[in-house]
Amino acid sequence: MRCFISQRLGEATVKEKGRLMNLPSSLTPIVVLDVGARNGVQSVWREARYPVLVVGFEPDQDECDVLNQRSAENGAAVTARYYPTALAERREKRALYLYKDRRLSSFYLPNKDLLSQFPVSRLLSEEAFSVEAKVHLDCIPLDDFCQQERVDTVDFIKLDTQGSELEILRGGDKTLDGVFGVAVEVEFSPIYADQPLFGDIDAYLRSKGFSLFDLNRHWWKRASEQPVESRGQVIFADAIYFRDPALSSSCSYWGKLRSSPSGIERVVALSSVLGYSDFALALLDYFNKTALIDDKSFEALSAKYVRRRDFAPLSQSAHSIWARALAKVRRAIASRVSRMSDDAHYRHLNQNYYDNDERKGIR
């Protein structure tokens, strides 16, 4: 396994030479760490107009073997390798509780006081949070893994580990210094007993120079004998964080890009493929004004990565009626598409007791 990572990333971490104004001709892959990779490569990476290397972590050895066998199906632009490695804040042996619904397995026990308020059997499945087994895993910090496997470049980290996300981030403190973005599942109420919540994760990432860019909120609804209309209670969310040049706490990160020209294209490509073309343009403008790229590179990268509208905005006079009608149609289409998307891996939740921003057409 180490040979694969070292060989693949060796090309990505070679000292880049040449003038900063000229972008490298050979593309260094976007390196994505997928922690909690049970579902395999997310489709968003297959849509990137840029090579992507996914390094996945799945402690279940059998599932890890399946994912590695399927990695050839990802397409030419995406390379993936999965490790049966458990990450934590420090080196230690931890008990992993295996729930009846394996997607819920965690280092933490369920918070029965909270769960008893919701129809979990209808939301998920009968006894979804029941512990069927307990296994002990040897855990290592992310920093140790990256040093051991010589992973010198990490651009993006996705975490979905059922409560242990903050521990993993703390165990990757040094690695985070070179990371551009983080996608992390955050809870607003403790689904698991004593787990860190959104406020804890948000405070830590902000201290590391990240800004919250987006939330896809998820609501659970309580069972009722009466036919009631209800929004439900927001329980958790999928959060996206990026580094922002406007934050002084991220100055050292942007300064390092001066010695890594390919990093400029990677952060622009990442911003765009995740749906934030306005930020991609803002980054290009920042790079141009700070002389990291010239006007020609600005235009080339903008044309390649920034997603633009297919039609011009409506005139002001027609805006009041047509804009509202088009917005309604777009929300309906977006909601329908999100329900069919394989990225919306919450489809197993009973829609009578569950909702999220994507289904509502808010995002």
Side-chain angles (χ1 to χ4, degrees):
M1 293 180 182
R2 180 181 302 182
C3 292
F4 173 88
I5 290 293
S6 301
Q7 177 182 358
R8 185 65 178 169
L9 293 185
E11 303 169 0
T13 55
V14 172
K15 190 78 172 179
E16 295 175 282
K17 301 178 181 179
R19 297 177 62 213
L20 290 177
M21 303 296 279
N22 298 317
L23 294 171
S25 56
S26 57
L27 296 180
T28 300
I30 292 172
V31 179
V32 178
L33 300 189
D34 188 344
V35 190
R38 192 173 188 86
N39 294 311
V41 173
Q42 294 175 295
S43 64
V44 66
W45 303 123
R46 299 190 186 98
E47 298 168 3
R49 301 175 184 177
Y50 197 99
V52 177
L53 171 62
V54 175
V55 180
F57 299 85
E58 176 48 59
D60 185 330
Q61 179 69 65
D62 293 338
E63 179 68 16
C64 194
D65 291 341
V66 170
L67 291 172
N68 278 319
Q69 291 171 5
R70 283 170 34 194
S71 63
E73 304 171 5
N74 294 321
V78 180
T79 304
R81 182 67 182 180
Y82 298 90
Y83 289 79
T85 301
L87 299 178
E89 188 170 354
R90 60 185 65 88
R91 286 184 178 268
E92 59 183 345
K93 187 177 287 291
R94 292 282 293 274
L96 177 70
Y97 300 99
L98 302 179
Y99 292 89
K100 183 175 181 179
D101 185 335
R102 289 293 191 265
R103 292 166 297 199
L104 304 173
S105 297
S106 173
F107 288 134
Y108 294 83
L109 287 168
N111 180 6
K112 294 182 180 178
D113 290 339
L114 175 75
L115 296 173
S116 64
Q117 301 180 46
F118 298 92
V120 173
S121 61
R122 299 181 183 181
L123 267 166
L124 295 159
S125 61
E126 193 70 35
E127 298 182 345
F129 278 95
S130 64
V131 177
E132 291 193 329
K134 181 171 70 172
V135 296
H136 289 86
L137 302 176
D138 291 317
C139 303
I140 66 170
L142 178 58
D143 284 341
D144 288 4
F145 174 87
C146 290
Q147 181 179 16
Q148 174 183 307
E149 302 298 332
R150 291 180 287 177
V151 182
D152 300 321
T153 300
V154 177
D155 299 297
F156 193 84
I157 299 179
K158 169 253 175 182
L159 298 120
D160 183 0
T161 56
Q162 305 304 305
S164 61
E165 291 84 0
L166 181 58
E167 298 178 52
I168 295 170
L169 287 169
R170 286 175 171 165
D173 190 73
K174 293 179 181 178
T175 302
L176 271 176
D177 289 339
V179 171
F180 171 66
V182 176
V184 54
E185 183 174 290
V186 294
E187 272 74 42
F188 300 103
S189 296
I191 296 176
Y192 300 93
D194 302 319
Q195 73 166 111
L197 298 178
F198 166 72
D200 306 304
I201 294 174
D202 183 69
Y204 179 75
L205 286 174
R206 288 185 185 279
S207 75
K208 296 293 291 182
F210 293 92
S211 287
L212 177 64
F213 264 64
D214 209 349
L215 285 174
N216 178 28
R217 299 166 296 173
H218 299 258
W219 290 267
W220 284 3
K221 303 176 184 180
R222 290 168 170 79
S224 173
E225 299 300 326
Q226 303 295 326
V228 298
E229 282 289 335
S230 175
R231 289 178 58 87
Q233 179 178 347
V234 61
I235 299 294
F236 65 99
D238 307 300
I240 294 282
Y241 288 83
F242 288 130
R243 292 192 181 276
D244 188 339
L247 292 180
S248 58
S249 55
S250 281
C251 285
S252 61
Y253 172 83
W254 301 109
K256 291 177 182 177
L257 287 184
R258 293 186 176 277
S259 60
S260 177
S262 69
I264 295 172
E265 187 164 357
R266 295 202 305 275
V267 299
V268 173
L270 261 171
S271 302
S272 181
V273 73
L274 292 171
Y276 307 94
S277 286
D278 64 320
F279 188 46
L281 272 174
L283 287 174
L284 286 171
D285 187 57
Y286 167 77
F287 295 144
N288 187 233
K289 289 180 178 178
T290 54
L292 279 128
I293 61 174
D294 56 18
D295 292 343
K296 183 178 180 180
S297 295
F298 177 95
E299 294 299 332
L301 292 176
S302 176
K304 184 176 182 179
Y305 294 114
V306 176
R307 300 182 181 184
R308 290 176 167 78
R309 298 179 185 273
D310 294 331
F311 51 87
L314 293 171
S315 64
Q316 190 65 31
S317 60
H319 187 276
S320 58
I321 298 176
W322 288 103
R324 287 200 297 268
L326 283 172
K328 185 175 181 179
V329 171
R330 286 174 186 158
R331 285 195 296 269
I333 293 174
S335 178
R336 178 63 177 169
V337 169
S338 70
R339 295 183 199 189
M340 298 186 294
S341 171
D342 62 348
D343 277 336
H345 54 274
Y346 302 100
R347 287 176 296 173
H348 58 283
L349 292 172
N350 187 313
Q351 303 305 322
N352 292 323
Y353 300 97
Y354 163 81
D355 217 338
N356 69 34
D357 280 329
E358 289 184 345
R359 290 188 69 249
K360 290 175 179 290
I362 295 175
R363 297 176 66 252

